[in-house]
Amino acid sequence: MEKISTKEQWKVWTHVAAHSFGGPAGQIAVIHKLVVEEKKIISEERFLHALNFCMLLPGPEAQQLATYMGWLMNKWRGGLIAGVLFIVPGFLSILLLSYLYIIFNDAPLIQGLFYGIKPAMIAIVTSALYKISKKSLKNNFYRILASLTFIASFFFNVSFPIIIILSATIGMLYGKLHALHKQIPDADSNTKPPLVQTLKIAMLWILVWTSPIIFTLIVFGENSTFHSLNIFFSKMSMVTFGGAYAALSYVAQNAVEVFGWLQGTEMLDGLAMAETTPGPLIQTVQFVGFMGAYRFPGFMNPYLAAFIGSVLTTWMTFAPCFLWIFTFAPYVEYIRGQKIFSDALSAISASVVGVIFNLSLWFVLKTLFLKSEKISYLLLDFDYPIFSTIDYYATIICLIAIFMQFKLNKGLFTILGVCITLGISTKYL
C-alpha cells in the first residue's frame, strides 16, 4: 500500500469526521465506504483484519479503527490525524449541547433536533450492516456463525469477550478441518517489530495517558471531582469490553448510583446527545464528566469546571486507544501472514456482524417504542418492545429515512436534514 500525503489524509479524515453519525455500525460503514470503496487506499482484507482486532480491544472500536487506518496510511502521524479528527466534532457538538442542556433544558428546538435524528440513524445503521455483512459472510459457515452470535448476544446477553474467544476458536478449527489456503496480500512484507521500539512507544503513550491524573492530584487533591473523574474513566478504559453500550452500562451504574454525578434520566439524555452527533457513541461519557464537574465544582465556577470535566473525561477515555493501536498494530499486521490467525479473525469478522445487528435492534427498541419489558428466565435475558407504546411519528420519520436511503440513494446530510425538519415540526406542532 502506498502512503498518501498529509494533506490528503486531512481531507479524508475530515470527511469521515463530518459523516461519523449513527453509532459504531454507521461509523465503521462510513470509514469503509471512503477508505476502501471510494478512495481504495486500504484493501478489503486489511480493513476487516483491522476491524477484527479493534473489536477485541476495550474502548470505542470505531475510533480505534479510524486510528488504525490512519496508521496504515502514514504510521503515527496518520494515526494521530485520523484518531483526533474522529473525536473533535463529537467533542465540540456535545460540549455545545451540554451547555444548552443546562441553560435551555426544555426548548422544543433541542428536543425536535434529537427526535428527528434518531429515526434517521436506524436507516443509516441498517444500510451499514447490510454492506458489512456482504463482505464478511462469505459462505454458509460464516452466516450461521453470525446468526448464532446474534442469538447469544441478544437473547442470552452473552458477554462480548466470550463471543470473541469462542468465535476465534471455531474459526481456527474450521480453517484446519477444511484446509483453507488463502493468499494474504502483502503478507511477505510484514516483519515482526523490534521489542525495544514497542516498549518506547508504550511508555510514551502511558505517560500521555497518565499526565492529567498526576496534574489533578497535585493541583486539586485526591478528593476533588476532577481527580475522581480521571481515576474512574481510566479504569473504564481498561475494563469495558463489548462496545459502547457495555461500557455505558458500567458508567451509568457508577456515575448515577455511586458518585451521584447525574441522574438516570440525565444519563439517557447524554446518550441521546452522543447518538445524534458525529463521533463515537462512547462520547456520552463527556456529558457525564460535564455534569459531574458542574454539580461538584469545588471552589471553581461551575461553567468552567464543567468544561474541564469534559476535557478530562474525553482524555481519559481516548488516550488509551492510541496506546493500544500504536503499540500493537505492527504485531497485528505481522500476524496477517499467519494462517491460523487469519482463520480466527475471519470468524471474528462474521461474529461482529451479529453483534452489530444486536446493537441495531437495541437502537430500534429505544427509538421507536416508548416502553419495553425485560425477560429474565433461566438463561434468557433480553428486552422486548411493548407494541402498544409505538411512537407513530418517529416510525414515520424512520420509514421516510429508509426509503431515502435504499430507494432514492440520498446522501447522509440530505436524510438528516429532512428528518431533523420533520422532528422539529413534530415537537412544535
Side-chain angles (χ1 to χ4, degrees):
M1 184 190 73
E2 294 183 5
K3 292 183 179 180
I4 64 173
S5 67
T6 301
K7 181 179 180 180
E8 181 65 20
Q9 287 180 67
W10 277 97
K11 289 181 180 179
V12 168
W13 295 110
T14 299
H15 180 89
V16 169
H19 290 76
S20 59
F21 291 86
Q27 291 154 1
I28 290 168
V30 168
I31 297 172
H32 180 273
K33 182 177 180 60
L34 189 65
V35 303
V36 178
E37 296 179 15
E38 295 182 3
K39 299 286 186 180
K40 301 186 186 303
I41 302 171
I42 307 294
S43 69
E44 182 70 41
E45 185 275 336
R46 258 188 166 170
F47 178 87
L48 290 175
H49 188 84
L51 174 60
N52 295 335
F53 168 65
C54 292
M55 294 294 288
L56 294 173
L57 298 173
E61 60 269 27
Q63 191 270 345
Q64 290 172 150
L65 178 63
T67 305
Y68 197 126
M69 294 294 98
W71 179 85
L72 285 177
M73 293 178 187
N74 199 9
K75 300 307 177 184
W76 67 267
R77 183 179 288 105
L80 280 177
I81 292 172
V84 171
L85 280 179
F86 198 82
I87 299 167
V88 169
F91 173 82
L92 295 177
S93 300
I94 291 180
L95 184 65
L96 174 61
L97 290 173
S98 298
Y99 279 114
L100 292 175
Y101 184 85
I102 60 176
I103 299 172
F104 306 106
N105 189 25
D106 297 323
L109 180 64
I110 301 299
Q111 294 179 356
L113 179 70
F114 291 161
Y115 189 77
I117 291 180
K118 284 190 283 188
M121 289 302 101
I122 295 175
I124 295 167
V125 169
T126 302
S127 175
L129 179 64
Y130 174 71
K131 293 175 181 178
I132 292 175
S133 64
K134 286 201 304 181
K135 304 292 185 181
S136 300
L137 309 184
K138 295 170 283 189
N139 57 39
N140 287 334
F141 167 77
Y142 294 112
R143 296 184 191 103
I144 292 172
L145 185 59
S147 301
L148 292 175
T149 298
F150 165 71
I151 292 171
S153 57
F154 183 84
F155 290 103
F156 298 97
N157 199 24
V158 177
S159 66
F160 188 76
I162 292 176
I163 288 174
I164 291 301
I165 292 171
L166 290 175
S167 298
T169 303
I170 292 170
M172 287 187 287
L173 291 174
Y174 176 76
K176 187 174 183 179
L177 291 174
H178 288 261
L180 299 178
H181 296 285
K182 292 179 288 185
Q183 182 65 34
I184 308 299
D186 305 323
D188 295 337
S189 66
N190 300 330
T191 57
K192 189 175 181 179
L195 179 60
V196 174
Q197 177 183 343
T198 301
L199 292 175
K200 287 181 179 179
I201 293 172
M203 291 302 298
L204 171 64
W205 281 100
I206 290 173
L207 179 62
V208 170
W209 177 7
T210 57
S211 293
I213 300 176
I214 299 171
F215 178 80
T216 56
L217 177 62
I218 295 173
V219 176
F220 299 103
E222 63 179 357
N223 295 322
S224 69
T225 301
F226 297 140
H227 189 63
S228 297
L229 288 171
N230 279 342
I231 296 297
F232 174 72
F233 285 104
S234 288
K235 292 179 181 178
M236 182 210 72
S237 66
M238 290 287 291
V239 302
T240 50
F241 294 84
Y245 293 113
L248 292 175
S249 174
Y250 170 78
V251 170
Q253 182 179 6
N254 285 272
V256 175
E257 299 176 8
V258 178
F259 293 101
W261 288 329
L262 73 176
Q263 300 173 3
T265 53
E266 292 172 335
M267 184 72 194
L268 291 176
D269 291 335
L271 178 60
M273 290 183 190
E275 285 176 332
T276 52
T277 53
L281 186 60
I282 195 65
Q283 197 73 45
T284 303
V285 301
Q286 178 189 340
F287 181 71
V288 176
F290 179 96
M291 293 300 296
Y294 176 76
R295 288 229 164 88
F296 304 101
F299 61 86
M300 193 172 292
N301 179 284
Y303 293 98
L304 177 59
F307 172 77
I308 296 175
S310 291
V311 173
L312 291 176
T313 304
T314 302
W315 189 288
M316 291 297 108
T317 301
F318 291 104
C321 298
F322 293 99
L323 168 64
W324 310 141
I325 299 301
F326 290 155
T327 303
F328 298 114
Y331 289 93
V332 176
E333 284 297 298
Y334 169 69
I335 67 171
R336 281 202 316 126
Q338 313 301 311
K339 179 183 178 297
I340 190 170
F341 293 108
S342 178
D343 293 335
L345 291 175
S346 293
I348 293 172
S349 180
S351 294
V352 165
V353 174
V355 172
I356 294 176
F357 187 38
N358 174 37
L359 297 182
S360 302
L361 285 189
W362 188 94
F363 201 80
V364 170
L365 182 68
K366 298 300 180 182
T367 302
L368 302 186
F369 297 91
L370 301 178
K371 294 182 180 179
S372 61
E373 293 286 346
K374 187 175 187 66
I375 289 182
S376 295
Y377 179 72
L378 297 179
L379 297 177
L380 291 172
D381 184 12
F382 67 95
D383 294 331
Y384 68 93
I386 299 176
F387 289 96
S388 60
T389 67
I390 188 172
D391 188 331
Y392 290 102
Y393 294 109
T395 302
I396 291 172
I397 295 174
C398 178
L399 292 174
I400 291 172
I402 290 174
F403 180 78
M404 295 177 68
Q405 175 77 56
F406 287 94
K407 289 295 183 181
L408 302 182
N409 294 318
K410 294 297 182 181
L412 177 63
F413 286 138
T414 302
I415 295 173
L416 288 175
V418 171
C419 292
I420 289 172
T421 302
L422 291 173
I424 294 174
S425 300
T426 300
K427 287 300 179 180
Y428 272 103
L429 297 177

